[in-house]
């Protein structure tokens, strides 16, 4: 396997009225081609800023130090026009709220087609339409040939997230970043979207960065996990190791917040005992 993305000593600083503030401080990680990485941490720990830095989408009041290399080329030193070309083509991103990422005035098909054509100049409308239908089929939107002409409000939240995934994958990117892709969805739909991400990753070979404040969500998919707190990676390890043998107290605290089957059984036993039923005390 070869390295797709390498983030080295990334520091992101905001200019504020109270002076400069580092919101990400000395973060490093590596993502192999086709691999999956979870970034987990509490609100404000710098997860989104990290992903925006990779995509070259940091707000103008933020500046960055360190390196972000895609296939060995440092994106931070590329001209904006080149980064724009890579964005949406080699790397795509989906966000928490699919509704605000979609334009209510255009059919979802039109929006997938436009996103695709922006990166494939010379492609005809007809070809782009075909790509849009196929992309919607890939994310299991039933009756895609008809649904492609529907507008965002005609889709449920989970379906809209499927549309966003279809759009992000239409150009067959090497890297997909999903920033809290299931946070706005209810639990059953959340599980379906995670399954879908897992499936498209297997089928398309795209590498995935999954960002969440929820370690349970990350553990579903990620092979490696970075635990962030206050802009710093407090622990990074293969997911299995992180779960079996967490090193940092903060990781342990996050793990304690993950409900486990044996906890539930323990709780039920407790209830049984309190109710005077079940086995011997
Ligand atoms: N425009 C800004 N100016 C100054 N600080 C900012 C600005 N935007 C974000 N920040 C700060 O950057 C830090 C990191 O924010 P970021 O959005 O990356 O957090 P996050 O880990 O994605 O949190 P969440 O789980 O809530 O999405 C936060 O402390 C936030 O307050
Ligand atoms: Mg965020």
């Amino acid at each position: 396997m070869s390295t797709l993305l390498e983030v080295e000593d990334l520091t992101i600083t905001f200019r504020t009225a109270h002076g400069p503030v580092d919101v990400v401080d000395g973060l490093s990680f590596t993502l192999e081609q086709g691999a999956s990485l979870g970034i987990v941490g509490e609100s404000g720990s710098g997860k989104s800023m990290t992903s925006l830095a990779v995509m070259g989408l940091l707000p103008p009041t933020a500046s960055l130090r360190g390196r972000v290399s895609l296939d060995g080329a440092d994106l931070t030193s590329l001209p904006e026009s080149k980064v724009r070309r890579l964005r949406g083509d080699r790397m795509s991103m989906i966000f928490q709220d699919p509704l605000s990422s979609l334009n209510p005035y255009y059919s979802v098909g039109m929006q997938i087609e436009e996103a695709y054509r922006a990166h494939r100049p010379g492609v005809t409308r007809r070809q782009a339409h075909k790509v849009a239908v196929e992309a919607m089929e890939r994310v299991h939107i039933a009756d895609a040939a008809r649904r492609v002409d529907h507008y965002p409000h005609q889709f449920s939240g989970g379906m809209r997230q499927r549309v966003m995934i279809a759009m992000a994958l239409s150009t067959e990117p090497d890297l997909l970043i999903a920033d809290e892709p299931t946070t706005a969805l209810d639990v059953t739909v959340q599980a379906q979207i995670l399954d879908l991400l897992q499936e498209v990753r297997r089928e398309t070979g795209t590498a995935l960065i999954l960002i969440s404040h929820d370690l349970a969500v990350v553990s579903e998919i990620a092979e490696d996990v970075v635990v962030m707190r206050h802009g710093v990676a407090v622990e990074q390890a293969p997911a299995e190791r992180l779960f079996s043998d967490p090193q940092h107290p903060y990781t342990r605290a996050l793990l304690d917040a993950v409900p486990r089957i044996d906890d539930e059984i323990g709780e039920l036993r407790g209830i049984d005992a309190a109710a005077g039923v079940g086995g011997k005390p």
Side-chain angles (χ1 to χ4, degrees):
M1 252 198 292
S2 60
T3 299
L4 175 68
L5 179 74
E6 193 162 14
V7 170
E8 291 170 85
D9 207 13
L10 175 69
T11 297
I12 302 172
T13 308
F14 272 102
R15 284 192 307 277
T16 73
H18 308 286
V21 178
D22 290 348
V23 296
V24 172
D25 190 0
L27 178 67
S28 301
F29 62 81
T30 303
L31 185 65
E32 303 295 315
Q33 218 102 36
S36 61
L37 175 82
I39 302 181
V40 68
E42 67 202 359
S43 184
S45 55
K47 307 181 297 293
S48 293
M49 289 306 147
T50 300
S51 58
L52 293 177
V54 170
M55 296 290 289
L57 286 173
L58 281 177
T61 50
S63 61
L64 151 174
R65 276 175 292 139
R67 278 169 61 93
V68 177
S69 316
L70 191 71
D71 284 335
D74 184 10
L75 301 181
T76 63
S77 58
L78 286 183
E80 167 55 25
S81 58
K82 284 232 167 88
V83 178
R84 201 179 312 132
R85 220 172 302 146
L86 292 173
R87 198 161 54 226
D89 185 5
R90 304 235 16 236
M91 43 186 194
S92 291
M93 190 161 173
I94 57 171
F95 299 92
Q96 174 172 338
D97 178 9
L99 196 53
S100 61
S101 314
L102 288 164
N103 186 324
Y105 298 109
Y106 293 99
S107 69
V108 296
M110 182 72 99
Q111 294 181 63
I112 299 174
E113 286 167 36
E114 286 303 310
Y116 182 70
R117 275 158 54 98
H119 292 281
R120 297 287 183 275
V123 161
T124 63
R125 278 238 117 83
R126 211 197 172 92
Q127 286 164 331
H129 186 78
K130 189 162 168 271
V131 167
V133 173
E134 282 168 3
M136 285 177 61
E137 281 168 350
R138 192 190 298 148
V139 298
H140 308 303
I141 294 178
D143 202 8
R146 197 173 57 88
R147 292 290 265 160
V148 75
D149 294 323
H150 288 181
Y151 290 79
H153 74 267
Q154 293 172 286
F155 292 81
S156 66
M159 282 293 158
R160 282 197 285 263
Q161 196 57 290
R162 283 176 193 268
V163 169
M164 292 312 299
I165 295 171
M167 191 184 296
L169 292 176
S170 66
T171 53
E172 298 173 0
D174 297 313
L175 172 63
L176 176 67
I177 302 181
D179 189 353
E180 303 270 6
T182 63
T183 306
L185 306 172
D186 71 46
V187 178
T188 8
V189 181
Q190 194 171 53
Q192 290 164 5
I193 294 292
L194 290 176
D195 284 348
L196 175 66
L197 283 173
Q198 195 61 306
E199 180 192 316
V200 295
R201 196 169 77 79
R202 254 195 327 264
E203 283 178 1
T204 64
T206 181
L208 175 72
I209 296 180
L210 177 67
I211 294 175
S212 178
H213 60 275
D214 185 345
L215 197 51
V217 164
V218 163
S219 71
E220 292 270 328
I221 292 190
E223 292 153 350
D224 289 292
V225 179
V226 177
V227 180
M228 286 185 75
R229 192 174 194 208
H230 304 321
V232 177
V234 294
E235 185 162 1
Q236 39 200 139
E240 246 168 65
R241 227 253 18 240
L242 195 91
F243 276 88
S244 61
D245 187 20
Q247 298 295 308
H248 196 277
Y250 180 64
T251 311
R252 284 199 285 271
L254 283 179
L255 273 173
D256 285 342
V258 175
R260 292 196 216 136
I261 302 264
D262 48 347
D263 283 357
E264 269 170 39
I265 293 169
E267 246 168 58
L268 288 175
R269 287 214 183 101
I271 291 167
D272 281 353
V277 292
K280 286 178 192 151

